[in-house]
Amino acid sequence: MSNITFTMIKPDAVKAGHIGGILDKICAAGFRIKAMKMTKLSMETAGKFYEVHSARPFYGELCEFMSSGHIVAAILEKDNAIADFRTLIGATNPAEAAEGTIRKMYATSIGENAVHGSDSDDNAIIEGNFFFSGLEKF
Ligand code: GDP
């Protein structure tokens, strides 16, 4: 089991001024920041990142949204990182997310849901490498 996950604070949460609140929750939950940057995806880079969802009906909408503003990308470290981070962020749809989760607090819809969290150890590595070089991970 790896102890790494990858996250993005999505454009909706960045625009709404929630970077600080979200990072506070992440750090309070015991995650260590291994890498972090603010950046902006193009339609093309968003399309590559979410290629696994390319057959899903919301793919176009997802890429439009994810390239609509700045994001904060980060690699996080903690024991049981994947599962613990998914618990911290809550269900994909904020209407179904548990009380106190990041998506319950900050997300507005199933599409504009404030944060990304990797769904497997393998994807955490792939996603982290998508954004960060070896020189940017600590
Ligand atoms: P996650 O692992 O909880 O992020 O959820 P998924 O892997 O199922 O979906 C990836 C992302 O696609 C989600 O975080 C949402 O931003 C978006 N998404 C998922 N379902 C929908 C949907 O029904 N409509 C739209 N517009 N976006 C969606």
Side-chain angles (χ1 to χ4, degrees):
M1 187 179 69
S2 157
N3 57 356
I4 294 296
T5 191
F6 170 80
T7 188
M8 288 182 283
I9 302 176
K10 297 186 180 184
D12 58 325
V14 172
K15 277 185 196 139
H18 296 316
I19 295 174
I22 291 172
L23 290 180
D24 200 33
K25 294 270 298 175
I26 290 171
C27 294
F31 290 88
R32 189 178 79 78
I33 296 168
K34 270 183 76 72
M36 186 161 68
K37 69 170 80 163
M38 178 180 265
T39 185
K40 190 171 184 296
L41 293 168
S42 64
M43 267 301 275
E44 192 192 355
T45 46
K48 273 193 196 131
F49 184 87
Y50 283 110
E51 203 155 25
V52 53
H53 293 311
S54 60
R56 296 173 81 174
F58 57 81
Y59 178 63
E61 208 176 311
L62 175 60
C63 296
E64 291 273 0
F65 164 57
M66 287 303 296
S67 58
S68 69
H70 294 97
I71 58 146
V72 175
I75 299 174
L76 306 174
E77 182 176 58
K78 181 184 183 296
D79 287 348
N80 203 32
I82 296 287
D84 285 2
F85 195 72
R86 302 280 311 183
T87 301
L88 179 68
I89 66 177
T92 307
N93 185 348
E96 291 160 15
E99 232 22 82
T101 60
I102 290 174
R103 282 171 167 166
K104 183 71 174 186
M105 291 172 73
Y106 297 118
T108 50
S109 70
I110 190 167
E112 306 206 358
N113 60 2
V115 279
H116 169 84
S118 305
D119 62 4
S120 70
D121 291 338
D122 286 350
N123 282 339
I125 302 298
I126 292 167
E127 292 171 358
N129 287 340
F130 188 91
F131 281 91
F132 298 99
S133 75
L135 284 171
E136 297 172 307
K137 295 176 205 163
F138 301 97

